[in-house]
Every structure is written in C-alpha cells, then in structure tokens.
CSV table of all heavy atoms in Angstrom, one decimal:
chain,number,residue,atom,x,y,z
K,1,ALA,N,17.3,0.3,-9.3
K,1,ALA,CA,16.8,1.5,-10.0
K,1,ALA,C,15.4,1.9,-9.4
K,1,ALA,O,14.6,1.0,-9.3
K,1,ALA,CB,16.8,1.3,-11.5
K,2,ASP,N,15.2,3.1,-9.1
K,2,ASP,CA,13.9,3.5,-8.6
K,2,ASP,C,12.9,3.3,-9.6
K,2,ASP,O,13.1,3.6,-10.8
K,2,ASP,CB,13.9,5.0,-8.1
K,2,ASP,CG,14.8,5.2,-6.9
K,2,ASP,OD1,15.2,4.2,-6.3
K,2,ASP,OD2,15.1,6.4,-6.6
K,3,GLN,N,11.7,2.9,-9.2
K,3,GLN,CA,10.6,2.6,-10.1
K,3,GLN,C,9.4,3.4,-9.9
K,3,GLN,O,8.8,4.1,-10.7
K,3,GLN,CB,10.2,1.1,-10.1
K,3,GLN,CG,9.1,0.7,-11.1
K,3,GLN,CD,8.8,-0.8,-10.9
K,3,GLN,OE1,8.8,-1.4,-9.8
K,3,GLN,NE2,8.5,-1.4,-12.0
K,4,ARG,N,8.9,3.4,-8.6
K,4,ARG,CA,7.7,4.1,-8.3
K,4,ARG,C,7.7,4.5,-6.8
K,4,ARG,O,8.0,3.7,-5.9
K,4,ARG,CB,6.5,3.2,-8.6
K,4,ARG,CG,5.1,3.9,-8.3
K,4,ARG,CD,4.0,2.8,-8.6
K,4,ARG,NE,4.1,2.2,-9.9
K,4,ARG,CZ,4.5,1.0,-10.1
K,4,ARG,NH1,4.8,0.2,-9.1
K,4,ARG,NH2,4.5,0.5,-11.4
K,5,SER,N,7.2,5.7,-6.5
K,5,SER,CA,7.1,6.2,-5.1
K,5,SER,C,5.7,6.0,-4.6
K,5,SER,O,4.7,6.4,-5.3
K,5,SER,CB,7.6,7.6,-5.0
K,5,SER,OG,7.5,8.0,-3.6
K,6,ASN,N,5.5,5.4,-3.4
K,6,ASN,CA,4.2,5.2,-2.8
K,6,ASN,C,4.1,6.1,-1.6
K,6,ASN,O,5.1,6.8,-1.3
K,6,ASN,CB,4.0,3.7,-2.4
K,6,ASN,CG,4.3,2.8,-3.6
K,6,ASN,OD1,3.8,2.9,-4.7
K,6,ASN,ND2,5.3,1.9,-3.4
K,7,ILE,N,3.0,6.0,-0.9
K,7,ILE,CA,2.8,6.8,0.3
K,7,ILE,C,3.9,6.6,1.4
K,7,ILE,O,4.5,7.6,1.9
K,7,ILE,CB,1.4,6.6,0.9
K,7,ILE,CG1,0.3,7.0,-0.1
K,7,ILE,CG2,1.3,7.4,2.2
K,7,ILE,CD1,-1.1,6.7,0.4
K,8,ASP,N,4.2,5.4,1.7
K,8,ASP,CA,5.1,5.1,2.7
K,8,ASP,C,6.2,4.1,2.3
K,8,ASP,O,6.9,3.5,3.1
K,8,ASP,CB,4.4,4.5,4.0
K,8,ASP,CG,3.6,3.3,3.6
K,8,ASP,OD1,3.6,2.9,2.4
K,8,ASP,OD2,3.0,2.7,4.5
K,9,SER,N,6.4,3.9,1.0
K,9,SER,CA,7.4,3.0,0.5
K,9,SER,C,7.8,3.4,-0.9
K,9,SER,O,7.3,4.3,-1.5
K,9,SER,CB,6.8,1.6,0.4
K,9,SER,OG,5.7,1.5,-0.4
K,10,LEU,N,8.8,2.7,-1.4
K,10,LEU,CA,9.4,2.9,-2.7
K,10,LEU,C,9.6,1.6,-3.4
K,10,LEU,O,10.1,0.6,-2.9
K,10,LEU,CB,10.8,3.6,-2.6
K,10,LEU,CG,11.5,3.9,-3.9
K,10,LEU,CD1,10.8,4.9,-4.8
K,10,LEU,CD2,13.0,4.4,-3.5
K,11,ASP,N,9.1,1.5,-4.7
K,11,ASP,CA,9.3,0.4,-5.5
K,11,ASP,C,10.5,0.5,-6.3
K,11,ASP,O,10.8,1.6,-6.9
K,11,ASP,CB,8.1,0.1,-6.5
K,11,ASP,CG,6.8,-0.3,-5.7
K,11,ASP,OD1,6.9,-0.6,-4.5
K,11,ASP,OD2,5.8,-0.4,-6.4
K,12,LYS,N,11.4,-0.5,-6.4
K,12,LYS,CA,12.6,-0.5,-7.1
K,12,LYS,C,12.7,-1.7,-8.0
K,12,LYS,O,12.0,-2.7,-7.8
K,12,LYS,CB,13.8,-0.5,-6.1
K,12,LYS,CG,13.9,0.7,-5.2
K,12,LYS,CD,15.2,0.6,-4.4
K,12,LYS,CE,15.4,1.8,-3.5
K,12,LYS,NZ,16.7,1.8,-2.8
K,13,ILE,N,13.5,-1.5,-9.1
K,13,ILE,CA,13.9,-2.7,-9.9
K,13,ILE,C,15.2,-3.3,-9.4
K,13,ILE,O,16.2,-2.5,-9.3
K,13,ILE,CB,14.1,-2.3,-11.4
K,13,ILE,CG1,12.7,-1.8,-11.9
K,13,ILE,CG2,14.5,-3.5,-12.2
K,13,ILE,CD1,11.6,-2.8,-12.0
K,14,GLU,N,15.2,-4.5,-9.0
K,14,GLU,CA,16.4,-5.2,-8.5
K,14,GLU,C,16.9,-6.1,-9.6
K,14,GLU,O,16.1,-6.9,-10.2
K,14,GLU,CB,16.0,-6.0,-7.3
K,14,GLU,CG,17.2,-6.8,-6.7
K,14,GLU,CD,16.7,-7.6,-5.4
K,14,GLU,OE1,16.1,-8.7,-5.6
K,14,GLU,OE2,17.0,-7.1,-4.3
K,15,ASN,N,18.2,-6.0,-9.9
K,15,ASN,CA,18.8,-6.9,-10.9
K,15,ASN,C,19.5,-8.0,-10.2
K,15,ASN,O,20.6,-7.9,-9.7
K,15,ASN,CB,19.8,-6.1,-11.7
K,15,ASN,CG,20.4,-6.9,-12.9
K,15,ASN,OD1,20.2,-8.1,-12.9
K,15,ASN,ND2,20.9,-6.2,-13.9
K,16,LEU,N,18.7,-9.2,-10.1
K,16,LEU,CA,19.2,-10.3,-9.3
K,16,LEU,C,19.9,-11.3,-10.3
K,16,LEU,O,19.3,-12.2,-10.9
K,16,LEU,CB,18.0,-11.0,-8.6
K,16,LEU,CG,18.2,-12.2,-7.7
K,16,LEU,CD1,19.2,-11.8,-6.6
K,16,LEU,CD2,16.9,-12.7,-7.1
K,17,ASN,N,21.2,-11.1,-10.4
K,17,ASN,CA,22.0,-11.9,-11.3
K,17,ASN,C,21.4,-12.0,-12.7
K,17,ASN,O,21.3,-13.1,-13.3
K,17,ASN,CB,22.2,-13.3,-10.7
K,17,ASN,CG,23.0,-13.3,-9.5
K,17,ASN,OD1,23.7,-12.3,-9.2
K,17,ASN,ND2,23.0,-14.4,-8.7
K,18,GLY,N,20.9,-10.9,-13.2
K,18,GLY,CA,20.3,-10.9,-14.6
K,18,GLY,C,18.8,-10.9,-14.6
K,18,GLY,O,18.3,-10.6,-15.7
K,19,LEU,N,18.2,-11.3,-13.5
K,19,LEU,CA,16.7,-11.3,-13.5
K,19,LEU,C,16.3,-10.0,-12.9
K,19,LEU,O,16.5,-9.8,-11.7
K,19,LEU,CB,16.2,-12.5,-12.6
K,19,LEU,CG,14.7,-12.5,-12.4
K,19,LEU,CD1,14.0,-12.8,-13.7
K,19,LEU,CD2,14.3,-13.6,-11.4
K,20,LYS,N,15.6,-9.1,-13.7
K,20,LYS,CA,15.1,-7.9,-13.2
K,20,LYS,C,13.7,-8.0,-12.7
K,20,LYS,O,12.9,-8.5,-13.5
K,20,LYS,CB,15.2,-6.8,-14.3
K,20,LYS,CG,16.7,-6.5,-14.7
K,20,LYS,CD,16.7,-5.4,-15.7
K,20,LYS,CE,18.2,-5.1,-16.1
K,20,LYS,NZ,18.3,-4.0,-17.2
K,21,HIS,N,13.5,-7.6,-11.5
K,21,HIS,CA,12.1,-7.8,-10.9
K,21,HIS,C,11.9,-6.6,-9.9
K,21,HIS,O,12.8,-6.0,-9.5
K,21,HIS,CB,11.9,-9.1,-10.2
K,21,HIS,CG,12.8,-9.3,-9.0
K,21,HIS,ND1,12.3,-9.2,-7.8
K,21,HIS,CD2,14.1,-9.5,-8.9
K,21,HIS,CE1,13.3,-9.3,-6.9
K,21,HIS,NE2,14.4,-9.6,-7.5
K,22,SER,N,10.6,-6.4,-9.6
K,22,SER,CA,10.3,-5.3,-8.7
K,22,SER,C,10.4,-5.7,-7.2
K,22,SER,O,10.0,-6.9,-6.9
K,22,SER,CB,8.9,-4.8,-9.0
K,22,SER,OG,8.8,-4.3,-10.3
K,23,ILE,N,10.8,-4.8,-6.4
K,23,ILE,CA,10.8,-5.0,-4.9
K,23,ILE,C,10.2,-3.8,-4.3
K,23,ILE,O,10.1,-2.7,-5.0
K,23,ILE,CB,12.2,-5.3,-4.3
K,23,ILE,CG1,13.1,-4.1,-4.5
K,23,ILE,CG2,12.8,-6.6,-4.9
K,23,ILE,CD1,14.3,-4.2,-3.6
K,24,ARG,N,9.8,-3.9,-3.0
K,24,ARG,CA,9.2,-2.7,-2.3
K,24,ARG,C,10.0,-2.6,-1.0
K,24,ARG,O,10.1,-3.5,-0.3
K,24,ARG,CB,7.7,-2.9,-2.1
K,24,ARG,CG,7.1,-1.8,-1.3
K,24,ARG,CD,5.6,-1.9,-1.5
K,24,ARG,NE,5.1,-1.6,-2.8
K,24,ARG,CZ,3.9,-1.7,-3.3
K,24,ARG,NH1,2.9,-2.1,-2.4
K,24,ARG,NH2,3.6,-1.5,-4.6
K,25,VAL,N,10.4,-1.4,-0.7
K,25,VAL,CA,11.1,-1.1,0.5
K,25,VAL,C,10.4,0.1,1.2
K,25,VAL,O,9.9,1.0,0.6
K,25,VAL,CB,12.6,-0.7,0.3
K,25,VAL,CG1,13.3,-1.9,-0.4
K,25,VAL,CG2,12.8,0.5,-0.6
K,26,ALA,N,10.4,0.0,2.5
K,26,ALA,CA,9.8,1.1,3.3
K,26,ALA,C,10.6,2.3,3.3
K,26,ALA,O,11.9,2.3,3.3
K,26,ALA,CB,9.5,0.6,4.8
K,27,ASN,N,10.0,3.5,3.4
K,27,ASN,CA,10.7,4.8,3.5
K,27,ASN,C,11.5,4.9,4.7
K,27,ASN,O,12.6,5.4,4.8
K,27,ASN,CB,9.7,5.9,3.4
K,27,ASN,CG,9.1,6.1,2.0
K,27,ASN,OD1,9.7,5.6,1.0
K,27,ASN,ND2,7.9,6.7,1.9
C-alpha cells in the first residue's frame, strides 16, 4: 500500500507475512 511520495522515491507499506513495515522504492 502506498504510504508517502518523496522527490525521487515512494514509501510503501509491505505486509511481510503479517508484519507490516515501511519500504522505499525508487521512482
């Protein structure tokens, strides 16, 4: 799920087998 848009990347919530945590991916 999208969380936050940055200048050159996007933060998402990743559901890793029930553990929800933030990740960052490049645009």
